[in-house]
């Protein structure tokens, strides 16, 4: 039985305004978290429908480097319209690339029900107890790392968070969706503008706390509106 195609509340790649240096810098600061590779109590891996081997390689690196001893991999079958669809849960696909036999003393947990960032966290709590966790490293697509961090803060407000941003590839190999290069392609500009809209919409309805980004959201809205007026 085929999984029913899911419709995104906000289109993944949105129509973006003209991007100048001011808007690029504001969006970069808002959407992208800096990398922080330090020892943590657990590695939390947000689901992804692409780059499963790359994600598994990062997990293996964290385990080999003794930066973590516990890993929680999330992601079910998220058949969103316009996305690359596979019938197997994202978490299972990621785990399949990890040489589990090399880590008999490590703990790797998976959940296979979630279809978005909030569900990733909700479903993860059903397979792993975060009760005594004081520090957490999370791995997410680079452009969505702020939303991932804020979502984790909603559920774990006292936990110290560290980030591993995963750049998305594009048709231009030298211009991935990273903090440094996202704005160089039309796809990257639309993807990050869509992420701004998600931060604004989901945050304002209470999906995650937005006090720390409200000023940035308002600033971006203001300069984007000014650009629209100047064009008109």
């Amino acid at each position: 039985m085929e999984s029913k195609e899911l419709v995104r509340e906000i289109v993944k790649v949105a129509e973006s305004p003209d991007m100048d240096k001011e808007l690029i810098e504001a969006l970069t600061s808002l959407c992208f978290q800096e990398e922080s590779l330090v020892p943590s109590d657990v590695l939390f891996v947000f689901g992804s429908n692409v780059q499963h081997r790359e994600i598994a390689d990062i997990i293996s690196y964290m385990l080999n480097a003794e930066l973590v001893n516990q890993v929680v991999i999330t992601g079910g079958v998220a058949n969103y319209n316009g996305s690359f669809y596979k019938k197997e849960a994202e978490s299972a696909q990621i785990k399949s690339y990890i040489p589990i036999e090399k880590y008999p003393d490590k703990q790797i947990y998976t959940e296979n029900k979630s279809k978005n960032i909030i569900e990733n966290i909700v479903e993860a709590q059903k397979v792993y107890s975060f009760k005594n966790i004081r520090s957490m490293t999370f791995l997410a697509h680079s452009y969505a790392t702020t939303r991932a961090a804020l979502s984790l803060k909603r559920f774990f407000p006292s936990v110290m968070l560290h980030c591993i941003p995963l750049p998305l590839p594009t048709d231009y190999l030298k211009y991935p969706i990273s903090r440094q290069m996202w704005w160089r392609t039309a796809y990257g500009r639309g993807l990050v503008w869509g992420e701004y809209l998600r931060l604004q919409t989901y945050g304002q309805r209470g999906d995650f706390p937005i006090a720390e980004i409200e000023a940035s959201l308002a600033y971006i809205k203001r300069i984007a509106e000014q650009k629209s007026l100047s064009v008109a």
Side-chain angles (χ1 to χ4, degrees):
M1 181 176 175
E2 293 291 330
S3 175
K4 183 180 179 181
E5 186 175 80
L6 303 172
V7 178
R8 297 179 185 278
E9 182 176 350
I10 295 175
V11 64
K12 183 176 182 180
V13 182
E15 183 177 351
S16 64
D18 291 338
M19 298 276 180
D20 61 8
K21 183 178 179 181
E22 182 182 25
L23 187 54
I24 289 168
E25 289 180 350
L27 286 167
T28 300
S29 178
L30 172 68
C31 297
F32 294 79
Q33 299 278 290
E34 296 280 3
E35 184 175 77
S36 176
L37 290 178
V38 299
S40 298
D41 294 332
V42 64
L43 172 63
F44 189 102
V45 181
F46 283 94
S48 171
N49 65 342
V50 295
Q51 294 180 287
H52 301 128
R53 185 185 294 274
E54 290 85 351
I55 293 171
D57 287 346
I58 294 172
I59 294 171
S60 295
Y61 169 81
M62 294 290 286
L63 293 171
N64 291 333
E66 300 288 343
L67 293 173
V68 294
N69 291 316
Q70 301 181 93
V71 181
V72 179
I73 307 172
T74 68
V77 179
N79 183 23
Y80 282 101
N81 58 329
S83 293
F84 186 66
Y85 172 58
K86 289 186 178 181
K87 297 179 182 180
E88 188 178 9
E90 296 168 353
S91 58
Q93 295 177 70
I94 294 168
K95 188 177 180 180
S96 71
Y97 289 106
I98 302 173
I100 302 297
E101 68 281 359
K102 291 179 61 176
Y103 309 110
D105 58 334
K106 313 296 185 185
Q107 296 175 302
I108 301 176
Y109 304 82
T110 60
E111 67 78 24
N112 60 6
K113 303 294 185 184
S114 62
K115 294 177 172 61
N116 58 51
I117 282 180
I118 295 295
E119 289 183 10
N120 289 161
I121 303 170
V122 170
E123 294 299 326
Q125 292 178 89
K126 297 177 182 179
V127 300
Y128 178 81
S129 174
F130 293 85
K131 184 177 179 181
N132 297 316
I133 295 301
R134 296 185 177 183
S135 63
M136 180 190 303
T137 295
F138 70 91
L139 192 164
H141 290 305
S142 58
Y143 73 92
T145 47
T146 290
R147 182 157 53 98
L150 292 173
S151 298
L152 287 169
K153 288 178 182 179
R154 168 186 166 183
F155 293 90
F156 313 115
S158 62
V159 172
M160 177 69 71
L161 297 177
H162 305 283
C163 177
I164 302 177
L166 180 69
L168 271 178
T170 70
D171 291 339
Y172 300 90
L173 292 179
K174 64 179 180 178
Y175 296 143
I177 309 302
S178 66
R179 184 180 181 91
Q180 296 78 22
M181 296 291 183
W182 68 266
W183 51 274
R184 290 186 175 272
T185 64
Y187 176 74
R189 294 190 292 274
L191 187 65
V192 172
W193 186 252
E195 185 61 18
Y196 155 72
L197 296 175
R198 281 181 283 277
L199 284 166
Q200 182 183 61
T201 301
Y202 302 164
Q204 288 177 349
R205 77 178 178 203
D207 283 11
F208 42 77
I210 61 169
E212 66 185 82
I213 64 167
E214 280 184 309
S216 295
L217 290 171
Y219 175 65
I220 291 169
K221 180 180 180 180
R222 185 168 64 252
I223 59 178
E225 289 175 344
Q226 289 173 349
K227 294 180 189 306
S228 297
L229 289 172
S230 65
V231 170

